[in-house]
Amino acid sequence: MASKSVAFLHFCTKAGVSQRDKTEMTTKVFCLDFAKQTSAHVLKLALLFASFCLGACGGSSGSAGNALDLGTGTQLQILDLGAVSKSATASALAPDWWRGAFMQIYVRAYQDTDGDGKGDLKGLIQRLDYLQGLGVKGLWLLPITESSDRDHGYAVKNYRAIEADYGSQADFDLLLSEAHKRGMGVILDFVINHSSNQHPLFLNSSSSAKNAQRDYFIWQTPKPTGWQIYGQDPWYASNWANGFYFAGFTSSMPDFNLRSNDVESFHHDNLRFWLNKGVDGFRFDAVGNLIENGPGAWEVQAENHVVMSKVRQTIMQYSQRFMVCEAPANSNAFAQADSCGSAFAFDLSGSVVGAAKGDTASIQKLADYYKTRSANLAPFVSNHDSFAGDRLWNQVQGNLAQYKMAAASYLLLPGTPFIYYGEEIGMASSNALSGDAALRTPMSWTADAKGFSTATPFRALSANVNSQNVTQQLSDNNSLYQHYKQLLALRNTQLALRSGTYEAAWAFQKTMGFQRVAGAEKIMVVLNFDTQANALNVSNLTPGETWAPLMGANVSATVSSAGVLQLNLPAQSFAVFKKN
Ligand SMILES: [Ca+2]
Ligand SMILES: [Ca+2]
């Protein structure tokens, strides 16, 4: 026993270094206390500490084979566990609110109000008028629940608590009511595939093979072989209990066992917790990674659709809710009604940007996309992840004509469009940062950091904050902001653009066009991506009918007796018409 005590003390010293995180701080205090105990208490403390420390320490060393018999291990209280029944199901929003454009918002980077250099919910509330003025109808908030990563929020520690940096539950309730007053819905990022390794469920699960919550996560003994996910072996040893846990992204974010009924109930109860508060829906993270069937079958398994179909059923018991899934590997399958019902159009973004640059193959792909795919695929051009592409400004290297063509291309398509915060003002990524962080810089409200915070911001600013910021954009009638505002106004006022079908699409060289049709209402969009003017002949129309200009043209156009509409489009321009 003495040698084991020495080993534990050594482990305590090693584990108690960091004070950044509450759990680690608790570990340090515990370790100091532990060192003072008499031998009569050593074994009991050692067992408690071993089970407590296990998850917090990440389980990265390979001592699993020397585990002690810990009985049932740790029994930490789990604040986000427990049944939640469906209660208030009404919505304050218009039935088709979710067909308007969303703004994807990283709360930490949006607006600071308490001078700590980090954005918060009160800051977002202050900026709701700006978002309403732009014409946004929905907000997707990157995770705002308590996390251990202190940044992006995807390592969730408590699914029912607001991250302390962001404010209180009361702040969130106020955000919801203020957004709803402005006709905007709020959807939350829900991390269904994994939690933090500091979530109490994982601390319990990892404390002993006999723990009541063991099966909330995925354990194997001996360590499985042959696995590689995103270039890494996803199986990690735990230090004190037999077994290796599965973590598809990183050792600090263990995958839930989504075959477990308990895990399913856990998630559904947490969804209802927020739905009962009036949350308008969710964006689901990494739904291609939910269930694994082996080293060659870990992505987009058939069972994933079953999991998401059940989630969708729970959410749709509430009125006018919206959900959208992240599934880069097979977006169209997850957009179906027997799965998520809606998913991001990851395989469209490249065509939008390529078309804007005048690439004819991209223009053809863009014109064809919604001919064969679900109208519930949500178009976007960039987001918070670098794998999805750099910020649009960087992708078009600041070419404003291309930028405006890209925006017109995706904001008038079927599917709910998602704008990444700052995209509407031409925010660039940061030159001082790399990877995802470069895409997640503080919002450029002013030409310096002061519009975001009175303190030094938590992260470097966008590289073009001096030239592209809200103050500058609002004062320029020809700005990107005004361009986005006009496009959203069109979408918000024209039923066919919000919910119409996608019809009569064509592409020819560097031009393309399509119609959006809702009953008798027909809208025609024509785009010229060329750097020179082009005369277009749109054929197969009804002779004699007239089309009134809505945007990008000044006069009505009449279809010839041969069924052809002749249009002259200047270089890098587009026009929108409505059939009289
Ligand atoms: Ca703050
Ligand atoms: Ca998984």
Side-chain angles (χ1 to χ4, degrees), residues 425-490:
I425 57 164
M427 256 175 79
S429 53
S430 167
N431 289 336
L433 301 164
S434 62
D436 296 337
L439 310 175
R440 303 174 184 176
T441 56
M443 177 71 178
S444 300
W445 295 108
T446 55
D448 52 25
K450 293 189 174 63
F452 170 69
S453 176
T454 56
T456 303
F458 73 103
R459 177 169 288 160
L461 303 178
S462 161
N464 65 2
V465 64
N466 284 321
S467 59
Q468 300 293 134
N469 56 71
V470 172
T471 303
Q472 173 268 330
Q473 291 277 298
L474 290 176
S475 66
D476 176 1
N477 287 334
N478 199 32
S479 67
L480 290 173
Y481 169 86
Q482 301 297 348
H483 183 70
Y484 274 75
K485 184 174 176 173
Q486 287 172 45
L487 286 164
L488 296 194
L490 211 52

Side-chain angles (χ1 to χ4, degrees), residues 10 67 119 164 224 257-258 314 328 338 363 402 404 431 456 464 486 549:
H10 173 72
N257 172 16
L258 284 157
T314 286
D338 59 357
I363 293 166
Q402 292 178 1
K404 288 182 176 179
N431 289 336
T456 303
N464 65 2
Q486 287 172 45

Side-chain angles (χ1 to χ4, degrees), residues 305 327-347 369-370 372-377:
H305 297 296
N330 194 347
S331 301
N332 197 50
F334 284 94
Q336 305 303 313
D338 59 357
S339 183
C340 294
S342 176
F344 292 109
F346 276 93
D347 53 348
Y369 189 82
Y370 283 102
T372 56
R373 289 177 180 80
S374 168
N376 292 327
L377 281 162

Side-chain angles (χ1 to χ4, degrees), residues 257-271:
N257 172 16
L258 284 157
R259 296 181 200 274
S260 154
N261 292 332
D262 289 337
V263 171
E264 183 175 285
S265 297
F266 173 71
H267 282 319
H268 286 237
D269 285 324
N270 287 327
L271 291 169

Side-chain angles (χ1 to χ4, degrees), residues 384-544:
H384 61 297
D385 283 322
S386 52
F387 79 78
D390 205 343
R391 275 194 174 269
L392 180 56
W393 181 271
N394 300 77
Q395 292 194 57
V396 300
Q397 297 171 311
N399 183 314
L400 290 174
Q402 292 178 1
Y403 205 113
K404 288 182 176 179
M405 290 303 288
S409 299
Y410 91 93
L411 291 172
L412 301 176
L413 289 175
T416 298
F418 278 74
I419 304 167
Y420 187 42
Y421 79 95
E423 178 192 316
E424 77 282 9
I425 57 164
M427 256 175 79
S429 53
S430 167
N431 289 336
L433 301 164
S434 62
D436 296 337
L439 310 175
R440 303 174 184 176
T441 56
M443 177 71 178
S444 300
W445 295 108
T446 55
D448 52 25
K450 293 189 174 63
F452 170 69
S453 176
T454 56
T456 303
F458 73 103
R459 177 169 288 160
L461 303 178
S462 161
N464 65 2
V465 64
N466 284 321
S467 59
Q468 300 293 134
N469 56 71
V470 172
T471 303
Q472 173 268 330
Q473 291 277 298
L474 290 176
S475 66
D476 176 1
N477 287 334
N478 199 32
S479 67
L480 290 173
Y481 169 86
Q482 301 297 348
H483 183 70
Y484 274 75
K485 184 174 176 173
Q486 287 172 45
L487 286 164
L488 296 194
L490 211 52
R491 194 175 176 100
N492 290 338
T493 53
Q494 302 296 328
L495 175 70
L497 285 176
R498 283 200 304 282
S499 57
T501 54
Y502 186 72
E503 308 285 350
W506 58 269
F508 178 71
Q509 296 175 346
K510 296 192 178 189
T511 63
M512 66 170 270
F514 57 87
Q515 289 182 28
R516 302 289 312 281
V517 179
E521 191 173 316
K522 287 186 178 182
I523 287 185
M524 183 190 300
V525 179
V526 287
L527 304 111
N528 177 24
F529 297 103
D530 208 341
T531 52
Q532 62 183 32
N534 275 304
L536 312 184
N537 291 313
V538 185
S539 56
N540 294 320
L541 298 172
T542 304

Side-chain angles (χ1 to χ4, degrees), residues 53-61 197 236-239 245 251-252:
C53 193
L54 184 75
C57 300
S60 57
S61 70
N197 67 343
Y236 297 89
S238 63
N239 286 309
Y245 68 91
S251 63
S252 60

Side-chain angles (χ1 to χ4, degrees), residues 14-21 24-25 28:
K14 184 182 166 190
V17 174
S18 171
Q19 294 189 55
R20 276 193 76 201
D21 186 273
E24 290 176 3
M25 285 185 73
K28 184 170 186 178

Side-chain angles (χ1 to χ4, degrees), residues 16-318:
V17 174
S18 171
Q19 294 189 55
R20 276 193 76 201
D21 186 273
K22 286 176 192 169
T23 302
E24 290 176 3
M25 285 185 73
T26 308
T27 303
K28 184 170 186 178
V29 170
F30 188 98
C31 289
L32 291 172
D33 287 344
F34 175 79
K36 296 174 188 168
Q37 300 303 316
T38 63
S39 59
H41 297 112
V42 165
L43 178 59
K44 186 180 175 189
L45 283 166
L47 294 175
L48 275 169
F49 175 72
S51 53
F52 176 82
C53 193
L54 184 75
C57 300
S60 57
S61 70
S63 57
N66 300 321
L68 298 174
D69 177 4
L70 298 170
T72 57
T74 311
Q75 305 296 340
L76 291 173
Q77 190 184 3
I78 301 158
L79 298 174
D80 48 353
L81 191 69
V84 177
S85 301
K86 181 178 71 174
S87 60
T89 60
S91 167
L93 300 172
D96 69 344
W97 70 271
W98 54 272
R99 293 186 181 276
F102 273 67
M103 183 69 77
Q104 178 191 352
I105 289 178
Y106 181 31
V107 171
R108 188 173 296 264
Y110 210 60
Q111 178 67 60
D112 177 30
T113 55
D114 60 359
D116 67 352
K118 300 169 195 159
D120 41 57
L121 294 171
K122 285 189 171 127
L124 176 53
I125 293 168
Q126 285 183 7
R127 296 300 187 179
L128 288 176
D129 286 340
Y130 166 80
L131 292 159
Q132 183 186 22
L134 180 62
V136 164
K137 291 296 180 184
L139 309 178
W140 157 26
L141 309 185
L142 266 69
I144 58 165
T145 40
E146 186 184 347
S147 80
S148 58
D149 54 62
R150 314 304 302 269
D151 188 342
H152 48 77
Y154 288 96
V156 180
K157 279 172 72 175
N158 185 333
Y159 283 81
R160 298 181 193 173
I162 299 288
E163 169 67 37
D165 286 343
Y166 295 167
S168 65
Q169 190 68 59
D171 294 339
F172 181 72
D173 293 342
L174 184 61
L175 169 67
L176 269 188
S177 63
E178 291 296 320
H180 290 166
K181 274 184 203 167
R182 292 166 176 80
M184 289 187 278
V186 177
I187 69 170
L188 299 182
D189 211 316
F190 196 93
V191 190
I192 186 170
N193 179 66
H194 51 263
S195 73
S196 166
N197 67 343
Q198 292 169 42
H199 192 288
L201 269 176
F202 185 72
L203 296 177
N204 287 355
S205 171
S206 59
S207 67
S208 165
K210 299 174 189 167
N211 187 272
Q213 271 125 19
R214 181 70 163 180
D215 289 338
Y216 275 73
F217 295 86
I218 302 164
W219 295 91
Q220 289 282 321
T221 305
K223 185 181 180 181
T225 56
W227 285 77
Q228 282 282 308
I229 295 183
Y230 311 129
Q232 291 182 332
D233 183 341
W235 293 96
Y236 297 89
S238 63
N239 286 309
W240 303 105
N242 282 311
F244 294 80
Y245 68 91
F246 179 85
F249 290 95
T250 166
S251 63
S252 60
M253 300 195 302
D255 278 41
F256 281 111
N257 172 16
L258 284 157
R259 296 181 200 274
S260 154
N261 292 332
D262 289 337
V263 171
E264 183 175 285
S265 297
F266 173 71
H267 282 319
H268 286 237
D269 285 324
N270 287 327
L271 291 169
R272 280 188 289 267
F273 175 84
W274 294 107
L275 289 165
N276 288 346
K277 286 184 171 296
V279 163
D280 302 290
F282 301 91
R283 174 265 188 188
F284 287 93
D285 184 59
V287 300
N289 299 64
L290 301 183
I291 287 183
E292 294 76 24
N293 287 312
W298 55 265
E299 193 169 35
V300 191
Q301 299 300 290
E303 295 94 326
N304 297 13
H305 297 296
V306 178
V307 170
M308 293 318 298
S309 174
K310 289 180 183 173
V311 162
R312 181 171 152 79
Q313 287 169 35
T314 286
I315 292 172
M316 294 309 157
Q317 289 178 12
Y318 293 74

